[in-house]
């Protein structure tokens, strides 16, 4: 059956249903289904007067009603215009020239650019990315800027009908083959600016697989950073591994997500936004530190030289703390100054013969690590605040005292490496035997030398939304009754960092080994191929 003929059948079918008819059929989109596998069409019972007009209308009457309706592919062609021919050319030079002439801030132009880009053959993608680095970087940032629309192309909706569960979703106008996805992942991995940002969204259209990729990136950053700063202390990126895995379990679905979606919220979208946004923003500083200092490299480089080079190489990537515009308190710069000092201490410790001096060095290294972790956490939670405000507050999904308490508990492995040690964010977190306490001095990037405990207490007590001036540095006040509240959230996070930084081997495990995996590699079809419509 041709496309036009199929459209004629479909539109009459949907019109009959809109007029109140019962029925049972299957609509197959782009997939050949054997006749034996197709569900039978149930007979339509004679309708009561006024209850079902569809069966009493002939094809000619339906055609008259539907006159003026435009098939969807014609609407697509009208909207995309020249992009259709550009895509069909499959020519990298033509596609690059076309994309370069578009205003990627415009939703319409971005859609046209994405459509044209999808015409690249898999074998041409690597060369296209290398030859058009600035264009592809701008394009990847545009993907992130238009994530709400882009995510809607691959949204899934689980609908229960009797004992059946049907996965519903749109059939997207833009599709990438598995070969194209694999080629993008290889090409983007060669450019630090494309590993994250919109490049992550482009190469991983499925949310669950994208989340597992983010989790893996955090684990790689944790392992490679710890090789520089010391294997005995968890880093911010270590905690991010488990937080990202927690997001993955929420993306897969639980009662809190279902309740929020039933109330009209879109928590999976906002979780996905926050997950990809944070690794795109915070990740580059960790990656640059590893690239600069990993495997004993560049020990003659001062921290000031490192930070200046990082700032210069990462301009124009929409990173919050580059140029200082999104980090007026210099959280990230001070954090990485502390990590730099931790590196120096770790390098020197093997040569310290005196056990007392070596223990003192280890203690200072632990305190500097806690300071750095928390400063990164302050920046991270400032970035994610709009996500909490805009997307996760339906039915108190981010409020542990409300319906969504399970959704924000923090899960770690038990001490023996098995799951599940659940840290309840709405309850006071008890101190552990390996808690790190701050006491030693630190010299900030501004040249001021102050005790780390004083710095941290002032930072936590001065956070916005600390309406009653509660001492968040005090572990007795670490419960976050409202996870949407920045001050309460950071009080819990600081205590968790202090108590579990030296938790030991379990915190460095792969969460996929502890809690299992949820995604399919190279999943390029989160949308449905078969849409089943059942009468209710």
């Amino acid at each position: 059956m041709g496309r036009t003929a199929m459209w004629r059948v479909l539109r009459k079918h949907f019109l009959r249903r809109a007029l109140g008819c019962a029925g049972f059929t299957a609509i197959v989109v782009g997939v050949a289904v054997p006749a034996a596998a197709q569900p039978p069409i149930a007979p339509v019972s004679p309708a009561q007067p006024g209850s079902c007009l569809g069966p009493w209308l002939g094809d000619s009457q339906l055609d008259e009603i539907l006159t003026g309706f435009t098939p969807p592919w014609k609407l697509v062609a009208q909207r995309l215009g020249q992009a259709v021919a550009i895509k069909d050319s499959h020519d990298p030079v033509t596609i690059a020239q076309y994309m370069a002439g578009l205003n990627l801030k415009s939703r319409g132009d971005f859609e046209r650019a994405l459509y044209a880009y999808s015409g690249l053959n898999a074998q041409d993608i690597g060369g296209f990315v290398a030859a058009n680095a600035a264009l592809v970087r701008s394009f990847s940032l545009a993907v992130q800027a238009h994530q709400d629309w882009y995510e809607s192309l691959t949204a899934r909706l689980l609908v229960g009908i009797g004992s059946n569960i049907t996965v519903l979703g749109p059939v997207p106008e833009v599709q990438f083959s598995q070969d194209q996805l694999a080629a993008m992942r290889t090409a983007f991995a060669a450019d630090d600016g494309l590993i994250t940002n919109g490049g992550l969204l482009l190469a991983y259209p499925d949310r669950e697989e994208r989340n597992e990729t983010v989790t893996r990136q955090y684990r790689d950053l944790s392992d490679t950073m710890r090789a520089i700063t010391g294997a005995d202390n968890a880093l911010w990126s270590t905690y991010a591994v488990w937080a990202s895995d927690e997001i993955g379990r929420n993306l897969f679905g639980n009662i809190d997500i279902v309740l929020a979606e039933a109330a009209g919220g879109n928590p999976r979208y906002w979780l996905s936004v926050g997950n990809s946004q944070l690794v795109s923003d915070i990740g580059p500083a960790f990656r640059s530190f590893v690239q600069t200092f990993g495997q004993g490299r560049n020990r003659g480089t001062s921290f000031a030289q490192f930070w200046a080079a990082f700032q210069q190489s990462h301009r124009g990537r929409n990173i919050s703390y580059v140029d200082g515009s999104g980090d007026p308190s210099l959280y990230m710069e001070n954090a990485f100054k502390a990590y730099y000092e931790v590196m120096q201490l770790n390098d020197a410790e093997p040569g310290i013969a005196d056990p007392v001096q070596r223990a003192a060095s280890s203690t200072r290294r632990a305190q500097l690590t806690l300071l750095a972790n928390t400063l990164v956490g302050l920046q991270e939670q400032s970035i994610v605040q709009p996500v909490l405000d805009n997307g996760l507050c339906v039915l108190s999904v981010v409020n542990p005292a409300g319906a969504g308490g399970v959704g924000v508990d923090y899960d770690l492995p038990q001490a023996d490496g098995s799951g599940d040690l659940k840290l309840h964010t709405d309850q006071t977190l008890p101190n552990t035997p390996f808690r790190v306490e701050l006491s030693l001095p630190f010299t900030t990037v501004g040249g001021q030398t102050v005790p780390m405990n004083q710095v941290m207490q002032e930072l936590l007590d001065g956070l916005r939304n600390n309406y009653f001036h509660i001492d968040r540095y005090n572990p007795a006040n670490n419960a976050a009754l409202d996870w949407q509240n920045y001050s309460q959230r950071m009080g819990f996070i600081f205590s968790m960092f202090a108590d579990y930084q030296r938790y030991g081997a379990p915190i460095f495990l792969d969460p996929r080994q502890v809690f299992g995996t949820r995604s399919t590699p190279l999943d390029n079809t989160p949308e449905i191929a078969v849409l089943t419509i059942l009468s209710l």
Side-chain angles (χ1 to χ4, degrees):
M1 181 182 294
R3 185 168 61 176
T4 301
M6 176 65 81
W7 165 243
R8 189 177 297 118
V9 171
L10 293 182
R11 66 181 185 175
K12 289 176 183 177
H13 167 81
F14 284 117
L15 180 59
R16 281 196 171 99
R17 289 192 57 79
L19 292 172
C21 298
F24 175 55
T25 189
I27 309 303
V28 181
V29 183
V31 175
V33 178
Q38 298 182 25
I41 298 178
V44 178
S45 303
Q48 298 299 319
S51 67
C52 183
L53 299 177
W56 311 105
L57 297 177
D59 281 356
S60 61
Q61 292 167 299
L62 288 172
D63 280 334
E64 183 177 349
I65 293 173
L66 290 165
T67 298
F69 278 54
T70 304
W73 59 87
K74 290 185 178 180
L75 291 175
V76 171
Q78 292 171 8
R79 187 172 71 256
L80 294 176
Q82 189 183 4
V84 176
I86 299 296
K87 171 186 180 294
D88 291 343
S89 76
H90 305 291
D91 178 55
V93 175
T94 302
I95 291 171
Q97 291 174 343
Y98 177 74
M99 291 174 63
L102 297 174
N103 175 15
L104 296 178
K105 294 181 180 180
S106 159
R107 176 63 54 84
D109 273 9
F110 169 72
E111 183 179 0
R112 285 182 276 276
L114 183 64
Y115 193 82
Y117 174 80
S118 70
L120 288 168
N121 291 317
Q123 64 267 27
D124 295 328
I125 287 177
F128 182 91
V129 171
N132 302 280
L135 171 64
V136 176
R137 187 168 295 164
S138 296
F139 180 54
S140 74
L141 290 174
V143 177
Q144 191 179 61
H146 297 291
Q147 187 172 347
D148 56 342
W149 175 82
Y150 183 79
E151 283 263 318
S152 72
L153 297 182
T154 56
R156 298 196 222 192
L157 175 64
L158 295 180
V159 178
I161 305 175
S163 60
N164 299 318
I165 296 294
T166 302
V167 182
L168 304 179
V171 178
E173 299 157 7
V174 179
Q175 299 188 59
F176 295 108
S177 69
Q178 290 190 345
D179 288 342
Q180 285 176 306
L181 293 180
M184 278 192 276
R185 295 174 191 188
T186 299
F188 294 167
D191 186 323
D192 179 58
L194 295 174
I195 294 174
T196 55
N197 292 312
L200 187 65
L201 299 174
L202 269 173
Y204 296 87
D206 179 65
R207 285 176 179 171
E208 283 84 5
E209 190 187 7
R210 188 189 316 144
N211 164 257
E212 290 219 352
T213 300
V214 170
T215 304
R216 185 176 64 251
Q217 288 182 3
Y218 279 138
R219 188 162 187 266
D220 289 345
L221 291 175
S222 173
D223 290 347
T224 51
M225 276 286 291
R226 287 172 49 239
I228 300 171
T229 60
D232 51 348
N233 287 292
L235 306 175
W236 177 89
S237 49
T238 311
Y239 296 103
V241 172
W242 299 98
S244 182
D245 187 71
E246 178 75 19
I247 287 173
R249 269 171 281 151
N250 280 276
L251 285 174
F252 195 69
N254 58 35
I255 185 61
D256 307 300
I257 297 296
V258 172
L259 288 172
E261 290 175 340
N266 194 3
R268 293 183 217 233
Y269 164 70
W270 286 105
L271 283 168
S272 179
V273 168
N275 194 218
S276 57
Q277 184 181 36
L278 285 177
V279 75
S280 300
D281 195 283
I282 303 294
F286 281 88
R287 193 170 292 110
S288 183
F289 195 90
V290 170
Q291 290 170 346
T292 303
F293 299 113
Q295 299 180 331
R297 294 187 297 267
N298 300 311
R299 290 304 192 264
T301 299
S302 69
F303 171 73
Q305 290 171 326
F306 160 73
W307 195 251
F310 169 74
Q311 291 278 312
Q312 180 62 37
S313 63
H314 286 73
R315 296 189 194 282
R317 298 192 185 184
N318 201 30
I319 296 174
S320 65
Y321 49 92
V322 171
D323 303 322
S325 57
D327 184 14
S329 299
L330 302 182
Y331 291 146
M332 291 295 287
E333 187 173 359
N334 277 296
F336 276 85
K337 183 177 185 297
Y339 283 138
Y340 180 88
E341 293 182 20
V342 170
M343 174 187 72
Q344 292 179 314
L345 289 168
N346 189 59
D347 286 347
E349 273 180 28
I352 301 176
D354 184 345
V356 175
Q357 291 182 2
R358 189 166 184 168
S361 176
S362 177
T363 297
R364 177 166 180 77
R365 190 162 48 82
Q367 291 190 28
L368 284 167
T369 300
L370 176 57
L371 175 69
N373 290 344
T374 309
L375 290 172
V376 175
L378 285 163
Q379 181 70 7
E380 165 217 357
Q381 292 301 316
S382 178
I383 294 168
V384 83
Q385 188 65 46
V387 172
L388 299 177
D389 291 340
N390 294 331
L392 298 181
C393 55
V394 177
L395 279 184
S396 297
V397 167
V398 298
N399 186 343
V406 176
V408 290
D409 287 340
Y410 196 91
D411 293 85
L412 291 173
Q414 295 282 355
D416 63 359
S418 65
D420 163 13
L421 173 64
K422 189 174 291 292
L423 307 182
H424 297 281
T425 54
D426 61 330
Q427 300 174 16
T428 300
L429 190 66
N431 289 351
T432 63
F434 22 84
R435 180 179 176 88
V436 176
E437 296 287 357
L438 297 177
S439 61
L440 299 172
F442 171 71
T443 302
T444 68
V445 293
Q448 183 181 11
T449 300
V450 290
M452 284 186 264
N453 56 332
Q454 177 184 325
V455 170
M456 191 54 59
Q457 179 142 26
E458 291 175 354
L459 284 173
L460 294 176
D461 291 354
L463 292 177
R464 59 182 179 272
N465 304 130
N466 189 5
Y467 304 116
F468 301 104
H469 304 290
I470 295 173
D471 181 5
R472 297 294 177 196
Y473 184 77
N474 186 337
N477 299 322
N478 64 35
L481 298 179
D482 180 1
W483 194 251
Q484 195 175 350
N485 183 292
Y486 181 45
S487 172
Q488 292 186 34
R489 201 163 67 246
M490 278 309 306
F492 178 87
I493 289 171
F494 169 71
S495 280
M496 181 180 69
F497 284 0
D499 278 304
Y500 287 90
Q501 180 176 304
R502 290 202 157 183
Y503 185 42
I507 203 170
F508 304 123
L509 293 173
D510 186 338
R512 288 169 295 182
Q513 296 174 354
V514 179
F515 297 126
T517 186
R518 289 167 297 280
S519 74
T520 302
L522 281 170
D523 187 357
N524 65 332
T525 54
E527 71 285 343
I528 59 166
V530 179
L531 165 61
T532 302
I533 302 175
L534 299 177
S535 61
L536 300 177

